[in-house]
């Protein structure tokens, strides 16, 4: 027993060094599995507050570019207004409606919630974005985030009462399912950690007809994003050795360098779908 | 100003400078400019190694919380805090010289060259351990290697210019006084 104490006293510094390194590496590994302690709630609130002070100054420098992008977004929306479209002449045609009205009424699946970007990183190998709205605005983990021009930015990974953290597309764990708009082939998104704004889409079969400049959109196979939201435009097509798949690199439609505002997409059916999925996963 | 207050102020200033100025600069994908570890470089000589490591951990952990992925910078800071006393023992001009001055500087290490070696080795260790942990997920050796070398060069320039811009006046103390 005495020898053990002597040993600890002799190598105290080295043992402390090993312990602290161990804690750090444990934090790195455990974070990706989403086992994050309650401590992060407090820490995120503190850093969130400092960040929002800073960004309120920084936002002035982006006002011009922000206005331009909002103008574009508004133009798109105005063009979709009902008033722009004339109804076809229906008086010449008559038909009996046999379906109950209720069943063809539209209902809302997706709601957009606007938020200001408080902190944003591009240069790190794992990038995160912080928004200034959280649980109080109904934001939950797993919701999708788009920029003002409706291009995919990332997925919410953490929320506090007033802030939420978004895992951006530029993160090694971000695997959104995307597809080619032309040929409808679906693949999985990944980022190699090097150039911002250049992301790759893997598992595209070699039978696909792709050309540079094609649009890549969301597939709608997950509950996070509606179908057909812009992801980016194809930059190059690369053959993957010894496999039947292409690796398609594309420029992201969202500009991560200039991102003052973002929208969080709430899906009314997310909980219902996730519950069923959980049930399936539980079965052996 | 007492040593404690001075170091608390330095801690806050280095973190804020790192997060709000250096992290906003995008030089190149291969270069990440770092300066915040100068806090560890400037800690007093007489500080115990255990406290050095705990402070290093705290510094790294604070920066990690701004980056929203804890662990990376804390691991790197703990490493350089652990190695620092060995290096000082190797570089100090004569035995007992560390009692004459409070903290490492050009003067107390006896010239610019020993100070350059001191900071260069620590920065290289910090960057290689940090980028190794990051690259471990991506797995590209050359990318990791070039990034470490370039970032170390940039950080060394930053450290030198900081050292020249903010001269720290340190009184010479003797054992006899």
């Amino acid at each position: 027993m005495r020898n053990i104490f002597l040993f600890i006293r002799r190598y105290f510094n080295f043992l402390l060094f090993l312990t602290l390194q161990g804690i750090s590496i444990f934090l790195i590994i455990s974070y990706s599995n989403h086992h994050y302690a309650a401590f992060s709630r407090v820490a995120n609130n503190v850093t969130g507050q400092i960040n929002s002070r800073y960004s309120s100054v920084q936002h002035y420098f982006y006002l011009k570019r922000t206005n331009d992008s909002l103008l574009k977004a508004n133009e798109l929306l105005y063009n979709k207004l009902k008033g722009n479209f004339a109804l076809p002449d229906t008086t010449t045609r008559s038909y009996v409606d046999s379906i109950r009205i209720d069943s063809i009424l539209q209902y809302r699946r997706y709601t957009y919630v606007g938020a200001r970007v408080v902190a944003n990183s591009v240069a790190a190998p794992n990038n995160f974005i912080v928004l200034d709205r959280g649980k109080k605005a109904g934001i939950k983990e797993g919701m999708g985030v788009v920029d003002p021009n409706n291009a995919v930015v990332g997925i919410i990974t953490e929320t506090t009462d007033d802030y939420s953290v978004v895992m951006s597309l530029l993160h090694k764990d971000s695997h959104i399912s995307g597809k080619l708009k032309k040929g409808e082939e679906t693949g999985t998104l990944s980022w190699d950690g090097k150039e911002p704004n250049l992301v790759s889409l893997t598992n595209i079969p070699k039978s696909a007809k792709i050309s540079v400049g094609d649009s890549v959109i969301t597939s709608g196979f997950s509950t996070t994003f509606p179908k057909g939201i812009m992801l980016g435009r194809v930059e190059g097509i690369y053959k993957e050795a010894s496999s039947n798949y292409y690796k398609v690199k594309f420029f992201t439609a969202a500009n991560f360098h200039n991102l003052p505002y973002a929208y969080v997409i709430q899906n009314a059916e997310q909980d219902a779908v996730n519950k069923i999925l959980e049930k399936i996963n539980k079965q052996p | 100003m007492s040593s404690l207050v001075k170091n608390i102020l330095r801690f806050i200033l280095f973190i804020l400078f790192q997060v709000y100025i250096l992290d906003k600069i995008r030089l190149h994908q291969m270069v990440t400019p770092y300066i915040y570890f100068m806090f560890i470089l400037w800690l007093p000589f007489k500080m115990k190694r255990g406290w050095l490591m705990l402070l290093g951990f705290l510094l790294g952990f604070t920066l990690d919380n701004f980056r929203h992925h804890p662990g990376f910078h804390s691991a790197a800071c703990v490493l350089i805090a652990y190695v620092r006393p060995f290096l000082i023992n190797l570089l100090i001009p004569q035995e007992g010289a560390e009692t004459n001055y409070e903290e490492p500087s050009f003067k107390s290490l006896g010239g610019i060259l020993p100070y350059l070696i001191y900071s260069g080795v620590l920065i290289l260790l910090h960057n290689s351990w940090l980028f190794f942990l990051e690259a471990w997920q991506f797995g590209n050796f050359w990318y990791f290697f070039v990034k470490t070398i370039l970032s170390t060069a940039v950080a060394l320039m930053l450290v030198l210019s900081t050292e020249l811009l903010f001269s720290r006046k340190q009184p010479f103390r003797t054992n006899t006084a």
Side-chain angles (χ1 to χ4, degrees):
Chain A
M1 199 63 194
R2 193 167 155 273
N3 282 331
I4 294 173
F5 282 124
L6 273 178
F7 176 79
I8 290 175
R9 192 184 286 171
R10 175 96 173 70
Y11 293 104
F12 175 75
N13 282 321
F14 187 64
L15 289 176
L16 184 68
F17 170 69
L18 285 185
T19 322
L20 288 176
Q21 286 287 345
I23 293 173
S24 307
I25 289 167
F26 172 75
L27 283 172
I28 296 173
I29 296 166
S30 66
Y31 184 83
S32 14
N33 297 332
H34 298 284
H35 291 299
Y36 204 22
F39 175 79
S40 79
R41 300 265 151 80
V42 185
N44 277 336
N45 264 337
V46 174
T47 53
Q49 268 174 21
I50 305 173
N51 279 330
S52 63
R53 290 266 167 81
Y54 179 84
S55 73
S56 63
V57 175
Q58 204 191 21
H59 267 75
Y60 283 105
F61 301 107
Y62 290 125
L63 276 181
K64 205 179 158 208
R65 272 182 284 177
T66 309
N67 276 338
D68 286 348
S69 83
L70 286 178
L71 186 77
K72 247 189 236 162
N74 267 339
E75 183 191 313
L76 206 87
L77 291 176
Y78 280 137
N79 279 325
K80 282 182 181 166
L81 280 182
K82 241 182 194 167
N84 292 339
F85 301 96
L87 283 168
D89 192 359
T90 51
T91 48
T92 54
R93 207 153 43 109
S94 71
Y95 56 91
V96 180
D97 196 352
S98 60
I99 309 168
R100 266 172 54 232
I101 290 258
D102 289 42
S103 60
I104 56 165
L105 266 186
Q106 287 184 328
Y107 64 98
R108 182 176 277 278
R109 250 182 105 178
Y110 296 102
T111 320
Y112 283 62
V113 180
R116 230 179 57 176
V117 173
V118 164
N120 180 13
S121 72
V122 179
N126 294 312
N127 294 295
F128 290 93
I129 296 161
V130 185
L131 305 177
D132 73 340
R133 298 182 92 175
K135 273 183 203 152
K136 281 183 191 161
I139 293 172
K140 283 182 209 157
E141 284 161 28
M143 286 178 172
V145 179
V146 293
D147 81 340
N149 297 316
N150 213 7
V152 174
V153 166
I155 293 173
I156 303 266
T157 51
E158 263 178 73
T159 50
T160 65
D161 278 352
D162 296 311
Y163 297 100
S164 47
V165 176
V166 184
M167 179 195 279
S168 105
L169 280 188
L170 314 178
H171 189 291
K172 62 133 181 112
D173 287 333
S174 119
H175 298 300
I176 294 171
S177 103
K179 72 172 181 184
L180 297 164
K181 195 178 180 184
K182 216 198 255 167
E184 303 264 316
E185 285 89 357
T186 54
T188 313
L189 241 137
S190 64
W191 188 53
D192 56 3
K194 287 179 200 163
E195 255 173 287
N197 292 358
L198 199 59
V199 183
S200 47
L201 191 66
T202 48
N203 283 2
I204 295 289
K206 279 189 175 156
S207 59
K209 281 175 188 138
I210 322 164
S211 45
V212 172
D214 281 359
S215 299
V216 182
I217 55 176
T218 53
S219 64
F221 288 163
S222 67
T223 54
T224 37
F225 292 104
K227 192 182 165 185
I229 287 191
M230 195 67 179
L231 274 166
R233 286 190 193 286
V234 174
E235 178 261 348
I237 302 132
Y238 303 90
K239 277 177 192 168
E240 273 190 63
S242 72
S243 85
N244 247 343
Y245 297 108
Y246 279 131
K247 183 179 186 181
V248 177
K249 284 206 168 179
F250 66 93
F251 290 116
T252 57
N255 183 359
F256 288 91
H257 289 289
N258 176 29
L259 194 72
Y261 295 94
Y263 295 99
V264 181
I265 304 179
Q266 296 175 331
N267 182 352
E269 292 168 355
Q270 191 163 32
D271 284 345
V273 176
N274 285 344
K275 246 181 215 168
I276 296 176
L277 282 177
E278 249 173 57
K279 237 185 211 171
I280 293 169
N281 287 338
K282 260 181 203 168
Q283 280 167 4
Chain B
M1 213 178 343
S2 82
S3 172
L4 181 71
V5 178
K6 198 165 67 186
N7 277 310
I8 290 173
L9 278 179
R10 269 182 199 165
F11 187 97
I12 297 169
L13 283 178
F14 273 127
I15 287 285
L16 289 182
F17 188 77
Q18 179 67 44
V19 172
Y20 291 113
I21 293 171
L22 286 185
D23 283 3
K24 305 281 171 191
I25 299 172
R26 281 149 203 149
L27 282 175
H28 188 259
Q29 45 154 320
M30 284 296 195
V31 182
T32 322
Y34 278 119
I35 186 99
Y36 75 103
F37 42 61
M38 270 198 97
F39 172 75
I40 299 175
L41 263 59
W42 279 2
L43 282 173
F45 280 121
K46 62 181 179 209
M47 191 171 256
K48 290 240 171 65
R49 186 176 270 161
W51 282 110
L52 273 177
M53 278 189 280
L54 283 176
L55 277 177
F57 185 78
L58 192 68
L59 181 78
F61 195 72
T62 315
L63 189 69
D64 279 330
N65 269 305
F66 278 99
R67 299 263 177 112
H68 305 286
H69 198 147
F72 291 108
H73 295 88
S74 11
C77 282
V78 168
L79 178 70
I80 61 171
Y82 181 70
V83 175
R84 197 190 98 130
F86 291 120
L87 257 184
I88 287 176
N89 273 340
L90 280 177
L91 291 169
I92 205 87
Q94 76 224 41
E95 206 170 329
E98 67 261 36
T99 52
N100 292 342
Y101 291 98
E102 203 184 326
E103 50 197 41
S105 67
F106 289 155
K107 226 182 193 176
S108 57
L109 285 180
I112 290 185
L113 192 68
Y115 189 80
L116 263 183
I117 297 172
Y118 167 69
S119 47
V121 170
L122 288 186
I123 295 168
L124 190 68
L125 276 177
H126 171 275
N127 282 352
S128 45
W129 188 224
L130 175 68
F131 295 143
F132 171 75
L133 286 175
E134 287 177 351
W136 171 29
Q137 306 166 325
F138 294 112
N140 185 340
F141 175 75
W142 280 109
Y143 177 68
F144 153 76
F145 186 72
V146 176
K147 194 175 175 183
T148 308
I149 299 294
L150 289 178
S151 298
T152 305
V154 170
L156 201 58
M157 274 193 283
L158 279 171
V159 166
L160 265 187
S161 46
T162 316
E163 195 69 50
L164 292 171
L165 276 175
F166 303 96
S167 64
R168 293 166 292 149
K169 276 180 204 144
Q170 290 186 63
F172 182 81
R173 295 175 309 182
T174 51
N175 292 332
T176 50

